[in-house]
Amino acid sequence: MTTVKTLLALPGLRPHPSTPDALLDRPVTRIYVTELPDPGRYLSAGELVLSGLLWWRAPGDAEPFVAALAAAGAPALAASGADSDGIPDDVVEACARHRVALLEVPPDLSFAVVTEQVVLALAAAADGARKRLLTAAAEDAPLPVLLERAAVELGAACWVLSAVPRVVAGTAALPGSPAEPVRRFAAAHGRPTAAAGLTVLPVEGRNAVPWLLAVDGPLSASQTELAEELAGLVGLARGRARLPAELPETGIVRAVALRTDGSAEAADVLAELLADTTFTLTGSTPGEAHALVAEDGSWPEDWAHETTAALSTVEPLLTARRLLAGFSDPGPATEAKGALEVARHALSVAANREGPVAVVPAADVGVHQLLLAAVSGDLRAALRRRLLGPLLDYDAEQHSDLVHTVRVFLECSGSPTKAAKALHIHVNTLRYRIGRAAELLGVDLSDFVAQVDVYLALVAEKSS
């Protein structure tokens, strides 16, 4: 990284006596020559401003000029007083007030020479930074170490974000939620973007769920080149990462099933979704993946909501038409096979819901649905016909809907009053219809066992 202090090694440049040493450690990314009285609109952070002070005419002129430098993040002003009888006190005071380092350019030193020297110094520094990053990558430096070295070279904090979204690694606390830069990146159709004080670049790689490199603040051309180099190195580091080892045979686990309709991204999405937990993938097909997750305190408390939010954030960056997920309840690892069955059935329930993202916890799946899920479709159809045949035939012949009436009645716990209200009919009409249905079925619909049998037959078709 090139700083104001390193440029002082160039022939001719020297700090003004009023400039404190602390201001000389600021990074410099490029040089900008101007004689405009207010150059703010043309400046960017990290630029060394070179000026002959031709804009200065009287005390007070320095304030807008230096204030514009400070607002843009310019670390220093290199000024020549050849045309103003030395550097005016007005300029010195403004630089001290706005904490902009002031450098003196001797009257006999050409601006062309200064510019050439600074450009060459910046180019040499950029080459050195690139080589140092490549050396760190070649040494298989862990991602946090690679980012720490890059932050020094860039002169800015940086983070690697997963589009799930989560912070994979960073050199400081990320300002705000990682979801915001991911959403802005998605809105830019996967192209580099600058938003919310961050510059966001895609990390190279063939993974379905992209990683992003976020760097604090707008970047100069040289910083952008270095950031792009870093993004490539992060991609290599990601390719070397391994999935967690197998879970222990004891303990509490939860099963997860995830499907990506229309794509083979399921395993990658599930691995990224669970990256902050202890998990193991238990098998997958191109469009569906399953995992067991340890209940070790890393699982989010409001996991259903957080999973929905995470999948909704990453969905625009995937090729899948829909993202579906099902979760089991936590249980002993010795019962993991049953938990996986529950998760898979919750996934099938999610498939019947609307929207690009659907997440279904086990609590949303009734026990009767889980039991029916284990029965073949042919057997469910046979049981439905055996128990409901006369009622189905009557409805077909009379163009009535006694089947629906019976179902609402049973789902209202056998209460005629509640069922009549739900169906918007008089309670006496409800009682007549239930009596007629009981005659056709040959059962007593006030008997609990009969109610269970009939209800299972009613929901069997939906479960098939």
Side-chain angles (χ1 to χ4, degrees):
M1 178 178 68
T2 303
T3 64
V4 177
K5 184 180 293 184
T6 58
L7 293 180
L8 293 177
L10 300 177
L13 289 181
R14 57 180 181 267
H16 189 275
S18 66
T19 299
D21 290 342
L23 298 183
L24 303 180
D25 292 325
R26 294 177 176 176
V28 176
T29 57
R30 56 188 296 184
I31 187 169
Y32 176 68
V33 182
T34 185
E35 298 301 338
L36 294 173
D38 184 355
R41 72 179 68 181
Y42 304 107
L43 289 175
S44 59
E47 286 184 316
L48 171 70
V49 176
L50 181 60
S51 178
L53 305 182
L54 299 181
W55 47 266
W56 191 87
R57 292 289 182 270
D61 289 351
E63 175 60 26
F65 183 90
V66 178
L69 268 60
L77 167 64
S80 170
D83 296 312
S84 55
D85 236 7
I87 298 178
D89 292 340
D90 184 31
V91 174
V92 175
E93 293 167 1
C95 286
R97 186 164 53 252
H98 290 285
R99 296 189 59 76
V100 173
L102 179 60
L103 310 183
E104 294 181 288
V105 180
D108 58 347
L109 184 59
S110 164
F111 274 20
V113 173
V114 174
T115 301
E116 181 181 11
Q117 289 178 339
V118 171
V119 169
L120 290 175
L122 291 173
D127 287 341
R130 190 172 292 107
K131 290 177 181 177
R132 286 188 289 273
L133 284 183
L134 289 172
T135 299
E139 294 172 350
D140 288 343
L143 188 56
V145 174
L146 183 61
L147 290 184
E148 288 288 353
R149 296 187 185 181
V152 172
E153 304 297 347
L154 288 166
C158 47
W159 302 264
V160 172
L161 310 177
S162 168
V164 162
R166 64 185 178 92
V167 178
V168 179
T171 59
L174 181 72
S177 165
E180 184 59 26
V182 172
R183 292 192 190 102
R184 291 180 180 269
F185 180 78
H189 305 290
R191 294 190 294 268
T193 182
L198 299 174
T199 298
V200 181
L201 306 167
V203 169
E204 297 176 9
R206 297 183 178 180
N207 303 79
V209 178
W211 277 9
L212 311 175
L213 174 65
V215 183
D216 191 24
L219 303 182
S220 66
S222 60
Q223 284 178 309
T224 299
E225 290 180 5
L226 187 58
E228 290 172 346
E229 188 83 33
L230 174 60
L233 297 177
V234 170
L236 293 176
R238 184 183 188 184
R240 293 193 298 266
R242 292 187 176 92
L243 290 176
E246 293 291 325
L247 293 177
E249 296 182 358
T250 59
I252 304 300
V253 299
R254 188 191 300 266
V256 185
L258 185 138
R259 183 185 304 163
T260 50
D261 281 353
S263 78
E265 301 165 309
D268 192 36
V269 174
L270 186 55
E272 282 293 309
L273 182 67
L274 301 176
D276 289 334
T277 67
T278 303
F279 76 98
T280 182
L281 294 176
T282 60
S284 63
T285 60
E288 186 170 321
H290 310 132
L292 291 172
V293 188
E295 290 281 321
D296 56 3
S298 59
W299 195 260
E301 184 175 350
D302 191 10
W303 54 268
H305 174 76
E306 291 194 22
T307 298
T308 301
L311 294 180
S312 298
T313 300
V314 74
E315 183 267 336
L317 293 168
L318 302 176
T319 61
R321 294 190 300 271
R322 300 184 71 207
L323 297 179
L324 312 171
F327 295 78
S328 76
D329 293 314
T334 53
E335 299 175 5
K337 289 184 179 180
L340 287 167
E341 288 294 329
V342 172
R344 280 192 286 266
H345 188 64
L347 181 64
S348 69
V349 174
N352 293 323
R353 297 190 176 179
E354 297 181 352
V357 173
V359 176
V360 174
D364 287 2
V365 184
V367 173
H368 66 277
Q369 291 176 294
L370 294 174
L371 293 175
L372 286 170
V375 179
S376 69
D378 290 340
L379 181 54
R380 286 197 297 271
L383 292 174
R384 180 177 172 82
R385 167 53 57 180
R386 172 185 167 188
L387 287 169
L388 303 179
L391 199 59
L392 295 169
D393 293 341
Y394 180 85
D395 277 352
E397 293 170 1
Q398 301 298 321
H399 303 290
S400 61
D401 201 4
L402 283 182
V403 169
H404 178 64
T405 300
V406 171
R407 178 160 184 165
V408 172
F409 172 70
L410 295 177
E411 289 178 344
C412 289
S413 304
S415 168
T417 303
K418 291 181 180 178
K421 185 176 181 180
L423 292 167
H424 306 289
I425 60 177
H426 194 276
V427 68
N428 289 336
T429 303
L430 186 282
R431 289 194 175 98
Y432 169 77
R433 291 182 182 180
I434 293 301
R436 183 66 178 131
E439 290 176 9
L440 291 167
L441 295 174
V443 299
D444 180 3
L445 286 177
S446 65
D447 178 73
F448 176 72
V449 175
Q451 288 178 341
V452 171
D453 287 344
V454 171
Y455 187 72
L456 287 175
L458 285 168
V459 299
E461 183 179 47
K462 188 176 180 180
S463 299
S464 59

